[in-house]
Amino acid sequence: MPEDILLDPTAETAPAIQPRLARPESIAGKTIGLFDIAKMRGDEFLDRLDELLTARGHAVKRYRKKHFTHLAPIELKQRIKSECDLVIEGLAD
Amino acid sequence: MHDIRGLEQLGIVAVGVATTEFKVAAAAQNQALGYDPAVVFVQHPIQDRSREEIRALADRAVEEILANLKT
Amino acid sequence: MLAMTQVAVPHIETSDKPAFPARTFLAIVKQDCPTCVLAIPVLRQIEQLIAPLGGTLEVYVQDDVSFAAGFSHACDDTALATSYRYQVDTVPTLIRLKEGQEDARAVGWQRAQWQAVTGISGLGENLPDYRPGCGSKTMDPRMPVRLKVKYGNTGLASCRIVVPALSDAVETCYERGWTDGLPVVPPTEERVLEVLDGTARSPSEVIGLIPPNLTPCTVEKVAINAVMAGCRPEYMPVVLTAVEAALMPAFGLHGVLATTNACTPVVMVNGPIARAIGMNAKGNVFGQGNRANAAIGRTLQLVVRNVGGGRPGEIDRSVFGTPAKYSFCFAEDEEDPRWESYAVSLGYSPNASTVTIFPGDGITQTIDHISRQPEDLCRSYAGCIRAIYHTGHVIGVQAFLAIGREHAIVFYDAGWSKARVKEELLDLLKIPVREVAPGRSGLSGLTAEEKADPNNLIPKFKNGTFNIIRAGGSAGKYSAIISSIGGRGSIEPVTKEIR
């Protein structure tokens, strides 16, 4: 039996879109991960962000997945989660 | 978008950076995924830019990126 | 043995011939049908006669289109679109269309019928007059529902959610926040339609407003959550009654949800339906392993979560929660006639089936291996019941006591009714004012007169209900207390008959 269409079990009073994670009030002093999705030239963009964030007093950690066509492996995501407070992913073009 | 969703599902606040070319596709994927990630768009294209131009894109985008990481 | 050569020549009356250009005949067949095998040569006769007159025969094959090899219009209907459209339940079926509209059909092989439909005499003269057809593939197990979803109008109103290409249905349910932490059965339209077969109630019927958001809940929404919980169609009458009962004002469902306490709705079923759908009232009665117990209780929880919006961390502020919030549903053990069931004690007929919803936060066992006299056993119970929440807690506490079989025998042998046991316990559960807890669980709920003398006795269940039921396995000197907050006028047990 195909399972590609499901019926909504909710009251449908809320939009079908899931909200994003709640943001902190301040990011001062937080460690920021820069996650390179491995498209060409993206590292140059993230290199500059690295400089800018470091100048603002953030600790910056760098990550990169093997190939942009693949989803990031769970171990990598877990590592980012455990080592960083926030993460910026780029650069999709 | 899937990676951002996966990261937020693990509990870390995430923002993506994509070019303006990605806007329509991103909106469609959000609808399909049922998830609205924070994404900052920078001017397309990227591949043919000089190193200085790419750095300038980052300079112009950093405030908006950081704003998307906090309330 | 049938001869395949004709003994009489089929023919069309001259006066009928002008009608044929406007006629299309549809034959729906399957190779795996002996009557269809018989009918194929007849269909060839028909095609040979009508084609020169401008008539058309389309042969739709439900399994292997090569079965119709040689026909001018051999059509693959393995997807059953045409079979569904024409509501074919037997093969072979022969349909006559006039200007695109059906105006006659023959089902199975019956010479007279085929001759009437086709207007051709002398068909299949070497065949018996009649041979019944076989079941159409549209009638294969689960196929009617599948085809209704694919080609028909299911009449289901809920939003369709597409499972993304890189995900799967089980993960999608998790990602959308629809689960209680355990995987759910993905609620496809087919599964929901099948479960709705278990009730005659219309999917669009509104059951009531589910707290905390007080959103209208339809039979369809209950069915979707019932699929997710693992329900079979035959559970639906119980499930729907459970939701209705939980919405009765006396139960105070909002209060049960929006509390820091660990309580949750408990579902107890009485009457013949419990056995009919295979519920458990015996060993491990409050535990895992029985599909009906697990799925019915879980449906109520999922309806509250998904339709009502009651989720931990939001309106649900429970400090600890309880595993009972996954599902807490069982049937009362009614096998021994020496005590009447809970439903009968309320005045329901023993032949009635009912759902009782009462609040509970889990179970606490009482163990007494020694007592052989009813008074001694009651004293053991009283010590444990007294300690519910706090030995001095008398306001807003209530309980069900599930007496196990070995303990029940002590009462049966002494000739004690359930009412007698309850009377004895309530008499033992009187607490002197000096031992009543301060605050709203105790002293704040007493009158000045009651508090005046520290030796005044206050009932443990001053405003709470206390009920005795039978459940559990046959060996083991245990009984079980299901405690809860609430009481008369706030959160009370409610009972509704299943219709």
Side-chain angles (χ1 to χ4, degrees):
Chain A
M1 169 192 311
E3 287 189 334
D4 53 353
I5 296 178
L6 307 178
L7 291 176
D8 190 328
T10 73
E12 302 180 35
T13 49
I17 301 287
Q18 258 174 262
R20 3 180 136 145
L21 214 53
R23 265 64 182 141
E25 280 184 19
S26 163
I27 60 171
K30 294 217 185 272
T31 300
I32 300 180
L34 293 177
F35 175 34
D36 190 340
I37 61 168
K39 290 198 105 171
M40 287 199 59
R41 315 297 303 282
D43 55 337
E44 295 170 45
F45 183 89
L46 294 177
D47 285 345
R48 180 56 180 157
L49 281 186
D50 193 336
E51 291 168 19
L52 294 168
L53 297 176
T54 303
R56 288 163 190 247
H58 296 286
V60 175
K61 290 185 182 289
R62 302 290 294 267
Y63 305 89
R64 182 185 167 91
K65 65 178 178 179
K66 283 213 174 76
H67 202 283
F68 71 83
T69 55
H70 297 152
L71 291 180
I74 183 65
E75 299 81 15
L76 176 55
K77 288 187 283 199
Q78 285 170 339
R79 192 153 62 88
I80 296 171
K81 156 71 178 164
S82 67
E83 294 173 358
C84 305
D85 300 308
L86 311 159
V87 61
I88 300 166
E89 176 186 301
L91 172 52
D93 73 328
Chain B
M1 299 302 129
H2 287 96
D3 288 336
I4 298 173
R5 186 168 70 134
L7 287 161
E8 289 223 331
Q9 280 171 349
L10 284 177
I12 179 168
V13 167
V15 60
V17 187
T19 69
T20 48
E21 193 66 15
F22 216 88
K23 263 190 185 170
V24 170
Q29 188 155 64
N30 295 348
Q31 182 73 23
L33 287 177
Y35 171 62
D36 174 32
V39 180
V40 171
F41 294 99
V42 297
Q43 195 57 47
H44 195 78
I46 295 295
Q47 298 305 320
D48 62 353
R49 290 196 190 271
S50 68
R51 183 177 162 75
E52 285 64 38
E53 285 171 335
I54 289 185
R55 289 168 65 83
L57 283 178
D59 289 345
R60 287 198 290 276
V62 67
E63 290 303 332
E64 191 184 349
I65 291 170
L66 294 177
N68 270 276
L69 289 171
K70 58 187 174 189
T71 54
Chain C
M1 183 155 101
L2 295 167
M4 299 308 290
T5 52
Q6 314 326 319
V7 290
V9 178
H11 61 279
I12 300 171
E13 296 300 324
T14 305
S15 56
D16 290 337
K17 288 182 182 178
F20 278 83
R23 285 181 182 169
T24 299
F25 294 91
L26 311 180
I28 295 92
V29 297
K30 67 180 185 184
Q31 187 173 51
D32 183 25
C33 165
T35 307
C36 294
V37 172
L38 282 190
I40 286 290
V42 180
L43 292 171
R44 294 199 197 281
Q45 291 175 339
I46 294 169
E47 185 177 65
Q48 281 162 14
L49 276 172
I50 69 174
L53 299 174
T56 307
L57 170 66
E58 296 172 358
V59 182
Y60 290 86
V61 187
Q62 294 185 336
D63 47 9
D64 185 345
V65 71
S66 67
F67 184 51
F71 284 95
S72 300
H73 304 281
C75 310
D76 183 336
D77 199 38
T78 46
L80 301 175
T82 301
S83 301
Y84 180 81
R85 182 179 163 199
Y86 287 97
Q87 299 291 288
V88 171
D89 55 34
T90 305
V91 288
T93 288
L94 180 67
I95 298 171
R96 184 177 75 202
L97 303 182
K98 189 177 168 190
E99 283 152 19
Q101 297 299 314
E102 176 179 342
D103 70 349
R105 74 163 61 185
V107 177
W109 161 251
Q110 193 173 42
R111 181 180 295 101
Q113 226 182 41
W114 280 53
Q115 292 184 162
V117 169
T118 58
I120 301 171
S121 306
L123 283 175
E125 284 294 310
N126 60 322
L127 298 182
D129 288 339
Y130 167 70
R131 190 60 74 83
C134 307
S136 159
K137 289 187 75 63
T138 53
M139 297 290 120
D140 284 351
R142 311 190 79 184
M143 195 56 74
V145 169
R146 190 165 299 180
L147 294 175
K148 189 174 182 183
V149 170
K150 196 171 177 185
Y151 300 123
N153 179 9
T154 61
L156 298 177
S158 295
C159 187
R160 270 59 170 173
I161 304 291
V162 175
V163 176
L166 289 178
S167 184
D168 73 24
V170 171
E171 284 304 313
T172 297
C173 294
Y174 271 115
E175 287 155 9
R176 296 239 163 202
W178 295 346
T179 86
D180 51 9
L182 291 170
V184 290
V185 177
T188 61
E189 288 184 85
E190 287 182 35
R191 290 187 178 123
V192 175
L193 283 177
E194 284 174 346
V195 130
L196 281 168
D197 266 348
T199 177
R201 294 166 77 164
S202 164
S204 59
E205 180 193 337
V206 176
I207 303 270
L209 306 181
I210 309 284
N213 295 346
L214 296 179
T215 35
C217 180
T218 58
V219 168
E220 179 180 326
K221 287 297 182 187
V222 174
I224 297 171
N225 285 279
V227 164
M228 289 165 54
C231 282
R232 291 189 49 80
E234 57 266 30
Y235 304 169
M236 282 301 284
V238 180
V239 165
L240 291 169
T241 308
V243 174
E244 287 175 318
L247 295 180
M248 290 166 74
F251 179 65
L253 181 59
H254 192 288
V256 172
L257 297 172
T259 174
T260 47
N261 195 276
C263 73
T264 193
V266 182
V267 182
M268 178 173 73
V269 179
N270 283 109
I273 202 166
R275 181 184 289 262
I277 65 174
M279 291 190 75
N280 184 21
K282 303 279 194 182
N284 203 44
V285 60
F286 302 140
Q288 82 287 20
N290 179 281
R291 182 175 180 175
N293 288 26
I296 293 168
R298 195 180 184 207
T299 303
L300 179 58
Q301 298 288 343
L302 290 176
V303 166
V304 165
R305 179 189 178 88
N306 290 322
V307 184
R311 296 188 188 84
E314 301 174 23
I315 291 281
D316 179 348
R317 300 173 296 131
S318 180
V319 173
F320 287 112
T322 163
K325 289 170 86 168
Y326 285 102
S327 174
F328 195 157
C329 171
F330 64 99
E332 187 183 9
D333 185 354
E334 299 178 22
E335 199 175 287
D336 196 309
R338 284 176 280 188
W339 278 0
E340 76 281 8
S341 74
Y342 178 81
V344 168
S345 70
L346 291 184
Y348 290 93
S349 156
N351 298 322
S353 290
T354 62
V355 174
T356 295
I357 306 285
F358 62 89
D361 48 38
I363 71 160
T364 305
Q365 287 181 124
T366 74
I367 302 177
D368 185 333
H369 293 300
I370 304 298
S371 296
R372 295 163 80 169
Q373 298 304 317
E375 295 87 351
D376 297 333
L377 194 44
C378 283
R379 265 193 292 280
S380 293
Y381 289 161
C384 299
I385 296 170
R386 162 108 190 242
I388 295 172
Y389 299 156
H390 186 287
T391 51
H393 193 135
V394 298
I395 302 292
V397 55
Q398 51 190 352
F400 270 67
L401 174 66
I403 295 183
R405 185 172 169 277
E406 288 208 43
H407 281 176
I409 287 171
V410 170
F411 297 118
Y412 297 157
D413 288 349
W416 281 32
S417 66
K418 218 171 22 173
R420 177 76 184 86
V421 176
K422 182 172 175 177
E423 184 192 340
E424 181 83 4
L425 281 170
L426 292 180
D427 200 52
L428 290 168
L429 287 165
K430 287 182 174 154
I431 299 162
V433 164
R434 79 181 101 79
E435 293 176 26
V436 171
R440 69 180 187 186
S441 302
L443 293 173
S444 297
L446 303 186
T447 64
E449 197 177 29
E450 284 168 328
K451 286 186 282 193
D453 182 346
N455 293 319
N456 276 346
L457 293 175
I458 309 297
K460 173 72 179 179
F461 300 117
K462 179 161 168 52
N463 69 337
T465 62
F466 176 64
N467 290 284
I468 294 173
I469 58 173
R470 280 277 297 106
S474 56
K477 291 183 187 295
Y478 308 107
S479 290
I481 301 162
I482 305 169
S483 54
S484 173
I485 56 168
R488 289 181 290 277
S490 63
I491 300 171
E492 296 181 18
V494 293
T495 301
K496 191 164 170 57
E497 188 168 350
I498 300 169
R499 297 200 182 278

